[in-house]
Amino acid sequence: MQPVRDELFVFKKKNREKKLLSKPSVSFWRDALRRLKQSKLAMTGFGMIILLIAMSIIGPMLVPYSYSDQSLLNANLPPSKDFWFGTDDLGRDIFSRTWIGARISLFIGITAVLLDLIIGVIWGGIAAYKGGKTDEVMMRIVDILYGLPHLLVTILLMVVLKPGLLTIIIAMAATGWIGMARLVRGEILRLKESEFVLASQVLGGNFFRVLFKHLIPNAMGPIIVSMTLSVPGAIFAEATLSFLGLGVPVPLASWGTMTSEGLVTLLTGEIWRLFFPALFISLTMFSFNVLGDGLRDALDPKLKK
């Protein structure tokens, strides 16, 4: 009976160890947060993102002018104590329009990336874990879509569909998830032969339980980094669409539409109309990029100190 008891004890011990390995440990995320806080540039970017989001909420309330109020008597006024960022050619307050534009641009960028995350994680995860012909067919579809220019597909959908915020988000997410799917597939292929996955399968874990409870949580590091670095790309894509006249409908404003409207000021001299939206697009892209770089370093176990 003694050998049987010893084998049972060893089996239970290994089972407990495998359960501990099945999820990223709390200490890993705590250590990653500590290393992220040590990166001054990444924390600066994070602080700027929080500030931009806060100003997009309260900014329009700080002035008595609505983003859509027009007054030709106040057209093209430079920044002053009455109009902090000046006015445009229709007499609209640029300060109010800038922060309304922040709401639109940030909402579109973040929402489009979240859709990319959901579609990409599900598609790439199923393809990698299922394997075989399923993986072959799903990834060939991804390869076909990957060969289509993302911006061209987005523009075509914007022309076909009814203009609006929802249309912009759908158009941007139509092929934007491909990169996330390829990333997730690579991570799942790396992890699916691990001991904790085999242990879960032996203990009766079904397909979706193993995939969503064990594999995807262990791949969240690269996924989070990819999300953070994708947000500025989505915001810039929205700005490009608005610059081409395919952005949000008037009288709504986004940083892209304001930049497009202000381009003429390079010739007429009212440079503040172009300066402020372009400045905040640049700051937003810089902030997300440095935060993404900091997250990548913090979540890389090879860089532990």
Side-chain angles (χ1 to χ4, degrees):
M1 294 294 292
Q2 186 64 29
V4 175
R5 290 180 180 177
D6 291 342
E7 290 179 5
L8 184 60
F9 173 76
V10 171
F11 175 78
K12 289 182 177 179
K13 182 179 179 181
K14 288 184 177 180
N15 192 28
R16 286 196 300 268
E17 291 175 353
K18 288 170 183 177
K19 284 184 178 180
L20 290 174
L21 288 171
S22 65
K23 294 182 180 179
S25 65
V26 176
S27 60
F28 168 79
W29 294 105
R30 188 176 298 161
D31 185 60
L33 182 60
R34 177 186 60 81
R35 284 184 284 132
L36 178 64
K37 289 180 179 178
Q38 290 176 347
S39 174
K40 295 182 179 179
L41 192 59
M43 294 310 296
T44 300
F46 179 71
M48 291 174 65
I49 292 170
I50 296 299
L51 181 60
L52 286 169
I53 293 174
M55 285 300 298
S56 71
I57 297 172
I58 66 172
M61 300 183 232
L62 300 178
V63 292
Y65 313 105
S66 170
Y67 71 95
S68 59
D69 289 344
Q70 300 181 19
S71 174
L72 295 180
L73 295 176
N74 295 324
N76 291 323
L77 294 179
S80 64
K81 64 179 182 179
D82 295 322
F83 300 99
W84 297 346
F85 286 180
T87 62
D88 63 8
D89 56 343
L90 296 177
R92 296 173 296 191
D93 180 57
I94 293 179
F95 182 87
S96 178
R97 289 180 63 78
T98 295
W99 297 119
I100 290 293
R103 291 182 187 178
I104 302 296
S105 296
L106 290 172
F107 174 76
I108 290 174
I110 294 173
T111 306
V113 169
L114 287 176
L115 282 177
D116 294 345
L117 170 71
I118 294 170
I119 300 172
V121 166
I122 294 174
W123 190 280
I126 293 175
Y129 188 49
K130 196 73 174 176
K133 291 184 178 180
T134 301
D135 181 36
E136 190 72 21
V137 171
M138 293 180 73
M139 295 316 294
R140 293 299 74 79
I141 294 174
V142 167
D143 291 340
I144 293 171
L145 294 176
Y146 190 75
L148 301 175
H150 174 60
L151 185 59
L152 178 60
V153 173
T154 304
I155 292 174
L156 288 175
L157 288 174
M158 287 293 300
V159 172
V160 172
L161 300 176
K162 184 179 179 180
L165 283 179
L166 182 60
T167 300
I168 296 175
I169 294 170
I170 292 174
M172 292 176 63
T175 56
W177 58 271
I178 294 173
M180 182 64 72
R182 293 171 70 131
L183 170 66
V184 172
R185 177 179 179 269
E187 289 296 311
I188 299 302
L189 287 175
R190 180 178 64 86
L191 292 169
K192 75 175 187 177
E193 299 300 331
S194 302
E195 290 185 0
F196 66 86
V197 176
L198 299 176
S200 179
Q201 292 170 343
V202 169
L203 293 172
N206 60 30
F207 176 85
F208 290 101
R209 179 181 177 84
V210 174
L211 178 61
F212 290 103
K213 187 175 181 180
H214 300 296
L215 286 171
I216 290 177
N218 278 276
M220 282 308 296
I223 291 173
I224 292 172
V225 173
S226 178
M227 279 184 59
T228 309
L229 294 174
S230 297
V231 172
I235 292 175
F236 189 75
E238 181 277 325
T240 303
L241 290 173
S242 298
F243 190 81
L244 295 174
L246 298 173
V248 296
V250 294
L252 288 176
S254 72
W255 287 337
T257 56
M258 294 180 67
T259 303
S260 177
E261 294 169 356
L263 188 62
V264 69
T265 62
L266 292 174
L267 299 175
T268 59
E270 300 91 10
I271 197 66
W272 59 86
R273 289 173 50 192
L274 176 64
F275 173 76
F276 289 107
L279 171 66
F280 289 112
I281 290 176
S282 302
L283 285 177
T284 303
M285 296 184 69
F286 169 79
S287 301
F288 275 103
N289 278 314
V290 296
L291 177 59
D293 289 340
L295 284 170
R296 181 189 58 201
D297 295 340
L299 294 170
D300 189 348
K302 296 178 182 179
L303 298 177
K304 284 187 177 181
K305 296 181 181 179

